[in-house]
Amino acid sequence: SVARMIDQGRAPSVHSAVGKDLGTRFEQDVLARVQTLVEEEPAPGGPGELGRLLARALLVAPSWTIRGGTNEILRTVIAKGLR
């Protein structure tokens, strides 16, 4: 729908902000869920590949909320657009 709006010359700011916010929350939720299911301790230099990958994901996860704007800014765009 965002691409269609752009093709039509419309500004999809609210739609793209909603998609970005939902996507970021989904990424964070998935990582949190994986962390509860994995029995291996996350460690960058650990022996298991899953533990190393999980450790790396946990280290970079905070940057996911910054891509395209922080969630707080995106929610402000959404709120203003829904008025």
Side-chain angles (χ1 to χ4, degrees):
S1 68
V2 170
R4 210 173 3 261
M5 290 177 78
I6 292 170
D7 286 344
Q8 295 169 351
R10 298 171 32 208
S13 57
V14 173
H15 290 77
S16 58
V18 168
K20 195 322 189 161
D21 185 50
L22 289 173
T24 300
R25 275 196 273 164
F26 176 74
E27 288 175 327
Q28 299 288 338
D29 291 348
V30 167
L31 182 57
R33 183 70 176 139
V34 167
Q35 192 174 8
T36 65
L37 296 173
V38 172
E39 295 178 7
E40 195 171 331
E41 189 67 30
E49 183 177 11
L50 186 56
R52 289 192 306 270
L53 290 171
L54 183 55
R56 182 166 186 251
L58 290 169
L59 289 172
V60 300
S63 71
W64 297 343
T65 62
I66 298 171
R67 294 186 314 231
T70 65
N71 289 350
E72 292 78 14
I73 293 171
L74 292 170
R75 291 176 191 147
T76 300
V77 169
I78 294 166
K80 288 180 179 180
L82 295 178
R83 284 195 220 169

